[in-house]
Amino acid sequence: GEDVEQSLFLSVREGDSSVINCTYTDSSSTYLYWYKQEPGAGLQLLTYIFSNMDMKQDQRLTVLLNKKDKHLSLRIADTQTGDSAIYFCAETMKMRQLTFGSGTQLTVLP
Amino acid sequence: GAGVSQSPSNKVTEKGKDVELRCDPISGHTALYWYRQSLGQGLEFLIYFQGNSAPDKSGLPSDRFSAERTGGSVSTLTIQRTQQEDSAVYLCASSLDGGNYGYTFGSGTRLTVV
């Protein structure tokens, strides 16, 4: 079956880079996503990557995909206190529901 | 509307009562999804609509849960005879193309069963 795993917690100092990691098991995944959830809010789509790509950069965000190892990472450069949130990795095939990881709580320390 | 709208935002109900949760997707979005997020947990898939039909109901936890969508737009999730373990945030999302480019989520309905 499908499974998406993430570490539960990450703490970084303000201004440092954060790297949030995710592994998935479904080799037929074609789309992979990162969502951000702030307290009391819904999920906000941050970025996505197709499985035929290995990197995508969007301002402070860099997504790396290692399809062979089924490993996805999200790097946030110059992390700010406003980046403190839960980050969810998710995967899907076309026209199917997303399967989410359990989320990584990012805490940015001053 | 501009985003996915869910109502009510908070609902407290007594054990054994029925509740109805509403989701208003983004206009024109054909796909609609319901997820459940329990305290400290990830997202649990419940059901997916393409138009008015539900090709995947595999995530509904019991026959107390049902959902419908009418007119390819608004969806309601109904929980009958609520139990305390039903307490969670119920999130709705919609997408234009079946999820290829991710979903847009609503802010959720926080359900508390007392």
Side-chain angles (χ1 to χ4, degrees):
Chain A
E2 306 146 11
D3 200 13
V4 180
E5 294 191 356
Q6 303 176 238
S7 53
L8 292 180
F9 302 101
L10 176 67
S11 291
V12 298
R13 293 270 175 208
E14 191 173 12
D16 288 350
S17 291
S18 310
V19 179
I20 304 171
N21 293 300
C22 170
T23 57
Y24 59 98
T25 57
D26 191 346
S27 58
S28 56
S29 298
T30 52
Y31 303 87
L32 298 118
Y33 307 87
W34 285 103
Y35 280 84
K36 176 182 180 182
Q37 186 178 37
E38 296 182 84
L43 276 74
Q44 172 197 353
L45 177 64
L46 285 179
T47 187
Y48 63 89
I49 189 168
F50 299 135
S51 60
N52 61 359
M53 299 167 64
D54 52 23
M55 188 182 90
K56 181 177 180 180
Q57 187 148 6
D58 184 359
Q59 299 183 330
R60 292 191 298 123
L61 305 179
T62 303
V63 179
L64 295 177
L65 174 61
N66 181 329
K67 198 174 177 186
K68 174 176 167 290
D69 294 338
K70 301 192 192 70
H71 182 265
L72 183 72
S73 68
L74 175 69
R75 179 177 180 269
I76 307 173
D78 186 24
T79 315
Q80 303 297 308
T81 54
D83 295 325
S84 292
I86 301 175
Y87 290 81
F88 290 92
C89 162
E91 61 85 22
T92 192
M93 281 177 60
K94 187 178 171 68
M95 299 301 290
R96 260 189 20 201
Q97 73 275 8
L98 297 184
T99 300
F100 286 85
S102 56
T104 298
Q105 171 76 59
L106 174 65
T107 302
V108 182
L109 306 170
Chain B
V4 177
S5 177
Q6 290 188 246
S7 61
S9 53
N10 277 285
K11 176 75 177 177
V12 180
T13 190
E14 290 181 355
K15 180 180 168 181
K17 294 279 177 73
D18 298 352
V19 295
E20 220 174 66
L21 312 180
R22 177 187 166 109
C23 173
D24 219 323
I26 291 173
S27 178
H29 278 196
T30 58
L32 185 148
Y33 308 80
W34 284 98
Y35 283 82
R36 177 168 74 172
Q37 186 176 27
S38 301
L39 187 63
Q41 302 293 311
L43 278 80
E44 176 188 3
F45 168 74
L46 298 179
I47 189 169
Y48 152 59
F49 287 93
Q50 181 61 40
N52 290 336
S53 65
D56 191 345
K57 302 180 184 179
S58 61
L60 293 176
S62 76
D63 59 8
R64 296 186 296 106
F65 286 72
S66 63
E68 65 174 16
R69 189 179 185 197
T70 53
S73 181
V74 171
S75 176
T76 52
L77 176 69
T78 302
I79 310 173
Q80 295 178 306
R81 304 180 303 281
T82 51
Q83 304 294 311
Q84 286 185 330
E85 63 262 26
D86 300 333
S87 295
V89 175
Y90 289 81
L91 291 164
C92 175
S94 70
S95 74
L96 181 61
D97 60 351
N100 295 348
Y101 296 96
Y103 311 152
T104 302
F105 276 87
S107 299
T109 293
R110 180 174 297 279
L111 175 66
T112 305
V113 182
V114 297

